[in-house]
Amino acid sequence: MSFPVLWSFRRCPYAMRARLALCASGQQVELREILLRDKPQAFLAASPSATVPCLETGDEVIDESLDIMRWALAQNDPQGWLDMPEESGALIRLCDGPFKTALDRYKYATRFPDHDPIAERAQASAFIQDLEARLTGFEALFGRTITLADMAILPFVRQFAHVDPAWFQSQPWPNVISWLEGFKASELFGKVMHKFPVWNMQADPVLFPSIDT
């Protein structure tokens, strides 16, 4: 029996959000973990953008993380992640656009010598402050129930927090910090962050999600 193939890299937040949706939906795939510094030819042949995640369903190639999330949840959405307001799309675009740009310039400061990393951190913090306000009195961004928006944004907030954990923890963002800590402590996060071996043609297929994860 063949399964859709997901090309992934464990620490990539885009790949992480794809695995979150696949795991939540129970949609099993063959997971192919790669090293970004040593991309296999089979992956480059599959991915139009040469970036992870990339999902080969058998009928199509899905090369965008949000599209993979929506594809997985269209198969099965037991937790109702797709039940979210229209404004969720705008919030995700802010995350993937201005916030991610500032995050990269802060996290990878040596790659952006023309930008002040502290100023970029302040720019990214404005987005975090927006999330802080949204989470006041709630466990999720759009009420009491986690949706696709939460799971699309959390991997990037995690990345931001990990640049300087002591600084992040000292900020007046109790709601965001609690939201993020709950995510990292969840069974779902543990499953998607399981360390899988790097793929090679000779190895047995790795199924995800699996009983072992």
Side-chain angles (χ1 to χ4, degrees):
M1 182 177 181
S2 61
F3 294 89
V5 172
L6 178 73
W7 297 93
S8 182
F9 176 65
R10 179 176 174 270
R11 296 196 306 274
C12 171
Y14 294 104
M16 195 183 303
R17 62 165 46 156
R19 297 195 307 274
L20 285 164
L22 287 163
C23 195
S25 71
Q27 174 63 51
Q28 201 163 49
V29 298
E30 179 188 339
L31 188 143
R32 296 183 179 179
E33 178 77 6
I34 67 169
L35 298 176
L36 297 184
R37 65 176 182 273
D38 186 21
K39 298 174 182 177
Q41 188 57 45
F43 164 69
L44 295 174
S47 172
S49 66
T51 58
V52 292
C54 175
L55 181 70
E56 298 179 86
T57 70
D59 297 319
E60 61 180 328
V61 174
I62 307 177
D63 208 36
E64 295 290 339
S65 60
L66 287 173
D67 290 339
I68 294 173
M69 293 185 82
R70 294 188 182 101
W71 177 88
L73 296 169
Q75 315 307 308
N76 186 35
D77 185 17
Q79 299 174 45
W81 283 14
L82 292 175
D83 184 14
M84 55 187 181
E86 285 189 16
E87 64 177 300
S88 62
L91 191 64
I92 295 170
R93 287 191 292 274
L94 282 174
C95 173
D96 290 7
F99 175 69
K100 185 61 166 64
T101 297
L103 167 56
D104 285 347
R105 291 172 178 173
Y106 167 48
K107 179 177 173 64
Y108 306 109
T110 57
R111 300 181 190 175
F112 302 96
D114 295 334
H115 295 270
D116 177 2
I118 301 305
E120 297 298 333
R121 184 177 71 181
Q123 182 72 22
S125 295
F127 179 73
I128 302 296
Q129 188 58 53
D130 181 18
L131 302 184
E132 176 69 16
R134 290 176 181 276
L135 290 164
T136 300
F138 298 102
E139 291 79 28
L141 292 174
F142 293 100
R144 301 193 179 280
T145 305
I146 290 290
T147 68
L148 181 150
D150 295 85
M151 292 305 182
I153 291 171
L154 272 162
F156 297 92
V157 175
R158 173 182 175 271
Q159 190 178 53
F160 180 63
H162 284 196
V163 178
D164 186 342
W167 175 85
F168 185 86
Q169 290 289 330
S170 72
Q171 300 308 298
W173 301 326
N175 299 321
V176 168
I177 290 171
S178 177
W179 177 64
L180 177 60
E181 291 303 316
F183 170 63
K184 294 194 295 183
S186 68
E187 181 181 3
L188 179 62
F189 180 76
K191 289 181 178 180
V192 303
M193 293 306 287
H194 180 83
K195 290 186 178 182
F196 293 98
V198 175
W199 175 83
N200 68 75
M201 280 187 169
Q202 289 72 42
D204 292 334
V206 173
L207 296 183
F208 174 86
S210 67
I211 295 173
D212 294 337
T213 58

